[in-house]
């Protein structure tokens, strides 16, 4: 149960942290809170990796209110008691440890919301694994796989898709959740990936799409919206017309091939060793912020 597991984890971490070079917590509460307490007790360098937003995701799932991540922090009048409590708890955790974000986009949002100092914030991007062989077939199937969460904006996507299918009856939409290996195989052989989430910080789903050489549709509220703009279509997830127009653009042969060519020329690879070295660099301040 919550609370008891935090106490037990804090005790075990305290024993292991003594003499360690660095403690890395992979979220701000479940492991982040114990890590912050241990940091105060031992003085061991500690950093929390933030690759999503538990507080915002929990609120959207609980209320069904499709508010974007930036707007969630810009207007807190809709917050309930639990959101306010968790916000204070996260603020406490982040006040004593360093923070690594997977994108500058989220770092900027959290720096304003949680009053974080630049000296203790870092950007350590996700690993980008090697390319996979892309296959092209005759089908025009759009892939929308992932967890069944409110923030994924599936109803809006389906409405936009049905509009587009009236003039393009050959297209299909695949949804659900499948194992990672099967997902990569479907992307390799599919037409395009779609991710019109209300917000999505640094989705590995988009990195998988790039690995497989396939264009994508992505929400504009994402750390990847500007970085990978040339590889897909960026849409406003709150506007059905924008999603429909994005699907139409992916169906345009010239635009689609232009995106495929851009993806094929992208050769960056970031191994997990690269990521690990950047975490270690936060100890002595050598990692650029």
């Amino acid at each position: 149960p919550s609370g008891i597991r935090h106490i037990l984890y804090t005790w075990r971490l305290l024993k292991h942290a003594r003499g360690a070079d660095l403690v890395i917590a992979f979220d701000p509460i479940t492991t982040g809170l114990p890590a912050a307490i241990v940091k105060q007790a031992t003085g061991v360098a500690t950093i929390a990796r933030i690759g999503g937003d538990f507080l915002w995701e929990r609120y959207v799932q609980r209320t069904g209110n499709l508010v974007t991540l930036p707007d969630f922090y810009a207007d807190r009048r809709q917050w309930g008691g639990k959101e306010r409590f968790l916000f204070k708890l996260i603020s406490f955790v982040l006040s004593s440890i360093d923070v690594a974000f997977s994108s500058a986009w989220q770092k900027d949002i959290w720096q304003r919301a949680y009053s974080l100092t630049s000296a203790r914030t870092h950007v350590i991007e996700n690993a980008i694994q090697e390319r996979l062989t892309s296959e092209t077939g005759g089908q025009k199937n759009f892939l929308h796989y992932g967890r069944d969460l409110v923030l994924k904006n599936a109803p809006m996507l389906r409405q936009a898709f049905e509009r587009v299918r009236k003039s393009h009856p050959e297209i299909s939409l695949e949804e659900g959740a499948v194992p990672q290996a099967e997902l990569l195989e479907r992307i390799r052989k599919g037409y395009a990936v779609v991710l019109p989430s209300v917000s999505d910080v640094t989705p590995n789903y988009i990195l998988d799409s790039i690995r497989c050489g396939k264009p994508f549709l992505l929400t504009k509220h994402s750390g990847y919206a500007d970085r990978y703009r040339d590889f897909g279509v960026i849409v406003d997830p709150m506007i059905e017309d924008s999603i429909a127009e994005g699907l139409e653009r992916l169906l345009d042969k010239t635009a689609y091939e232009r995106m495929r060519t851009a993806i094929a020329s992208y050769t960056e690879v970031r191994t997990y060793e690269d990521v690990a070295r950047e975490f270690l660099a936060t100890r002595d301040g050598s990692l650029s912020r």
Side-chain angles (χ1 to χ4, degrees):
S2 181
I4 295 177
R5 67 171 178 262
H6 287 82
I7 295 172
L8 294 174
Y9 186 82
T10 301
W11 176 247
R12 297 190 69 177
L13 181 59
L14 182 62
K15 293 193 293 183
H16 287 285
R18 296 186 185 280
D21 296 309
L22 179 68
V23 171
I24 303 173
F26 282 89
D27 76 289
I29 296 180
T30 303
T31 59
L33 177 58
I37 294 172
V38 170
K39 162 68 182 305
Q40 293 180 354
T42 64
V44 174
T46 302
I47 186 168
R49 189 258 187 191
I50 309 297
D53 194 304
F54 166 78
L55 181 59
W56 165 74
E57 290 185 13
R58 179 187 176 282
Y59 171 82
V60 173
Q61 189 67 22
R62 179 178 67 83
T63 66
N65 181 16
L66 297 180
V67 59
T68 67
L69 180 56
D71 288 343
F72 175 72
Y73 286 106
D75 183 5
R76 305 179 192 179
R77 291 175 297 178
Q78 74 272 27
W79 288 17
K82 289 186 177 180
E83 283 76 35
R84 297 183 188 280
F85 170 76
L86 289 173
F87 177 79
K88 291 181 179 179
L89 191 60
I90 294 172
S91 297
F92 164 76
V93 170
L94 302 184
S95 67
S96 60
I97 63 177
D98 278 26
V99 190
F101 297 93
S102 58
S103 73
W105 178 75
Q106 188 183 19
K107 180 175 81 72
D108 292 342
I109 294 173
W110 275 46
Q111 274 192 308
R112 291 191 297 269
Y114 291 96
S115 300
L116 304 177
T117 63
S118 297
R120 298 177 66 176
T121 57
H122 316 265
V123 175
I124 301 178
E125 297 183 344
N126 292 340
I128 303 174
Q129 300 184 69
E130 71 284 351
R131 300 296 177 272
L132 300 175
T133 304
S134 176
E135 294 186 15
T136 56
Q139 78 277 19
K140 291 186 177 180
N141 55 329
F142 292 86
L143 311 179
H144 183 234
Y145 288 102
R147 294 180 296 165
D148 184 19
L149 300 175
V150 174
L151 64 88
K152 295 299 182 181
N153 206 24
M156 180 83 77
L157 170 63
R158 295 177 191 130
Q159 293 173 18
F161 185 84
E162 289 304 320
R163 286 173 49 187
V164 174
R165 187 156 62 175
K166 291 179 180 179
S167 54
H168 298 276
E170 75 280 9
I171 66 175
S172 62
L173 178 64
E174 298 181 16
E175 297 183 271
V178 296
Q180 177 69 8
E182 182 179 344
L183 175 63
L184 289 173
E185 190 67 11
R186 293 191 182 210
I187 296 176
R188 276 199 329 108
K189 298 179 180 179
Y191 182 75
V193 160
V194 288
L195 192 63
S197 306
V198 178
S199 297
D200 224 314
V201 178
T202 48
N204 284 314
Y205 193 37
I206 295 302
L207 295 182
D208 288 339
S209 183
I210 294 172
R211 290 179 66 198
C212 295
K214 298 302 169 69
F216 54 79
L217 179 149
L218 174 65
T219 172
K220 70 176 186 179
H221 302 294
S222 171
Y224 287 159
D226 288 331
R227 180 172 175 79
Y228 298 124
R229 180 174 295 274
D230 294 338
F231 303 162
V233 178
I234 308 303
V235 302
D236 188 332
M238 312 302 287
I239 302 176
E240 185 180 320
D241 285 348
S242 179
I243 298 175
E245 290 168 6
L247 293 171
E248 290 278 7
R249 187 179 174 200
L250 284 169
L251 289 167
D252 180 88
K253 185 176 180 179
T254 301
Y256 183 82
E257 289 303 321
R258 187 184 304 118
M259 296 173 209
R260 278 176 51 86
T261 300
I263 294 173
S265 66
Y266 181 68
T267 59
E268 181 181 3
V269 173
R270 278 173 53 79
T271 67
Y272 283 102
E273 288 185 354
D274 294 328
V275 174
R277 277 193 291 268
E278 291 185 15
F279 270 101
L280 293 176
T282 64
R283 294 176 302 172
D284 56 15
S286 62
L287 179 67
S288 59
R289 299 177 174 90

